[in-house]
Amino acid sequence: MKRIVAPKSKSYEHRFLICEFLSKLDEVTCVDDAKYRSKFIDEQNEAVENDAEDIIATKNCLYEIGQSLKNGNQKALLDCNQSGSSLRFLLPIVCTLGLKADFIMRGRLAKRPLDSLLNELIAHGCKIDVSDDVLSTERKLKHGVFNLPGNISSQYVSGLLMALPLLSADSEIHVKKPLFSAPYIDITMDVLRDFSISVSEENHDTEHIYRVKGGQRYILPKEYVVEGDWSNAGFWFAAGILGDEPLVIEGLNPCSLQGDRKIVEILKKMGADLRFVTDKGKPVFEAYPIGDKVLKSIEIDAGNIPDLVPLIALLCCLADDKSKISGIKRLRLKESDRVAAIENLIGRLGGSIAVSEDTIEIDGIGKEGRLKGGKVTCFDDHRIVMTAAIASLRCEEKLLIDNAKAVNKSYVSFFDEFDRIGLSGNCLRK
């Protein structure tokens, strides 16, 4: 069987890079150890060939923060590209370090929600100005109680969780329920534990409280491996199901805290043949073609798994009856209006989709149905690109993906792998 190694989890890698940097703050700022400091900064800035654009943005920003610390806290220019993670994680950290910085926001990043986080940072001593695509900050963050909504972005919480241990006194984060994308906060907590940072949490009827001790030190673990990415691996599970040959997916943690691990449960509910086996002592998953069978329709709440929605919507389009996906409202605030992008993609492929504020309903085309193919627009959204590529496996005509390079935001080698395992015969890119 053909095999795919899942790419590294962006969620874990962002957090690891930041925590690694914070574990070496003494080296970065130590005047007497300039040689080691420069070496560390160079290592942080070194781009791996297959790094996603988001990861490169975080590495480059950490490099510039290191340079600012090295040069007496001079203003840092931090280009976040289109990465919400880079911006929302690093902004509280820059404030905690008391640095002056200009954050550059590209694409739709400046239009994505940030006000709730900004208001709390300003309320705790920071001066922040936003002008067009530049966010400027100065003054040091003060400890205290931070109040955040839980229904906008879990990244607000994660950014503060990584920053507040650096302050001299204790702080609390109160997150008003409902708390969406909670698994991403669990990932942050997991990485913090690996770096010897202690945070306690309390779950109440109306809010979730995180209590953060001040004066903590990040300690680099002796060994650390970034696990595989369940979000992007989902596309390979779908490829195995919709293609002509079974596919083995390696590098995934079957017990991962990543919420998108739920893709296995969802696909099994839809009737997919997925198997978890051990190969040479390592866990792997096998996805088998559905053949002449048809996927079953489903109803799911995607509030905690927003990144899976484009793929699930496509699979629902190929199902036997009407499916319903709820909890999708926040997808309008992603790299694109992802709800509109999904609606456009499925409509162009000949599917039937109805969209309301927080729900998508899709009529499956059934056993004999095929999608149309033709040219599709992906709105500069990496997940729409990958969804379109998977759709090509069930299209009558060739499918042409416009601006396919948008996939580089999260998965640079996606099409290299797609071609390598022989899936690109019906998929054209420009």
Side-chain angles (χ1 to χ4, degrees), residues 120 124 141-147 164 167 169-174 210 212:
E120 286 302 289
H124 289 80
L141 186 69
K142 299 175 182 177
H143 71 279
V145 176
F146 295 78
N147 293 287
L164 295 179
L167 296 178
D170 301 350
S171 295
E172 296 178 4
I173 308 171
H174 291 236
Y210 298 89
V212 185

Side-chain angles (χ1 to χ4, degrees), residues 256-318:
S256 177
L257 294 174
Q258 295 177 62
D260 293 333
R261 180 167 64 97
K262 194 175 179 68
I263 188 63
V264 172
E265 176 187 332
I266 293 169
L267 291 176
K268 286 186 174 181
K269 282 184 179 179
M270 297 185 79
D273 183 2
L274 303 181
R275 305 174 193 178
F276 172 61
V277 299
T278 301
D279 182 10
K280 298 179 181 178
K282 295 183 178 181
V284 300
F285 289 85
E286 297 173 348
Y288 288 83
I290 199 166
D292 293 333
K293 298 178 182 178
V294 63
L295 294 171
K296 299 175 184 177
S297 59
I298 56 167
E299 290 193 11
I300 62 165
D301 183 344
N304 281 328
I305 50 170
D307 289 343
L308 291 179
V309 172
L311 177 62
I312 295 170
L314 169 66
L315 295 172
C316 290
C317 192
L318 300 169

Side-chain angles (χ1 to χ4, degrees), residues 12-20 191 195 220 224 226:
Y12 269 98
E13 190 170 11
H14 273 296
R15 291 158 173 83
F16 173 77
L17 287 168
I18 292 168
C19 291
E20 180 190 25
V191 176
F195 281 81
L220 186 69
Y224 193 93
V226 176

Side-chain angles (χ1 to χ4, degrees), residues 42-67:
D42 288 344
E43 287 173 350
Q44 285 289 86
N45 196 42
E46 183 181 354
V48 178
E49 181 179 353
N50 287 330
D51 268 350
E53 290 177 354
D54 281 7
I55 295 299
I56 292 173
T58 291
K59 286 185 174 182
N60 288 341
C61 286
L62 289 172
Y63 169 80
E64 295 298 337
I65 293 170
Q67 288 292 90

Side-chain angles (χ1 to χ4, degrees), residues 60-241:
N60 288 341
C61 286
L62 289 172
Y63 169 80
E64 295 298 337
I65 293 170
Q67 288 292 90
S68 176
L69 292 169
K70 172 185 173 182
N71 296 319
N73 294 359
Q74 69 178 18
K75 178 178 277 193
L77 184 63
L78 307 179
D79 189 343
C80 296
N81 201 342
Q82 299 185 57
S83 174
S85 297
S86 302
L87 175 62
R88 292 166 176 165
F89 291 169
L90 293 175
L91 176 58
I93 289 169
V94 166
C95 291
T96 299
L97 296 173
L99 298 177
K100 292 182 179 180
D102 287 341
F103 288 84
I104 309 300
M105 302 174 287
R106 303 187 186 278
R108 276 173 52 95
L109 182 55
K111 296 179 175 63
R112 295 174 68 180
L114 197 61
D115 286 349
S116 298
L117 178 59
L118 296 184
N119 290 340
E120 286 302 289
L121 296 176
I122 292 169
H124 289 80
C126 299
K127 181 182 178 183
I128 297 175
D129 296 305
V130 181
S131 176
D132 295 328
D133 296 336
V134 179
L135 185 154
S136 301
T137 182
E138 58 182 287
R139 299 179 187 167
K140 187 175 177 64
L141 186 69
K142 299 175 182 177
H143 71 279
V145 176
F146 295 78
N147 293 287
L148 294 171
N151 62 349
I152 299 179
S153 176
S154 65
Q155 292 174 347
Y156 299 166
V157 183
S158 289
L160 284 172
L161 283 172
M162 288 187 280
L164 295 179
L166 300 173
L167 296 178
S168 58
D170 301 350
S171 295
E172 296 178 4
I173 308 171
H174 291 236
V175 185
K176 184 179 179 181
K177 291 185 175 180
L179 176 55
F180 292 147
S181 297
Y184 289 101
I185 300 176
D186 294 337
I187 290 172
T188 303
M189 296 283 283
D190 189 39
V191 176
L192 289 174
R193 282 190 292 269
D194 285 332
F195 281 81
S196 301
I197 296 297
S198 176
V199 177
S200 65
E201 52 184 319
E202 300 172 9
N203 189 14
H204 299 274
D205 290 341
T206 60
E207 65 179 2
H208 208 92
I209 300 175
Y210 298 89
R211 302 187 190 278
V212 185
K213 289 286 186 184
Q216 297 190 66
R217 294 176 62 87
Y218 281 80
I219 300 174
L220 186 69
K222 291 182 179 179
E223 293 184 9
Y224 193 93
V225 177
V226 176
E227 64 181 58
D229 189 290
W230 276 96
S231 300
N232 285 333
F235 294 100
W236 301 122
F237 283 103
I241 294 164

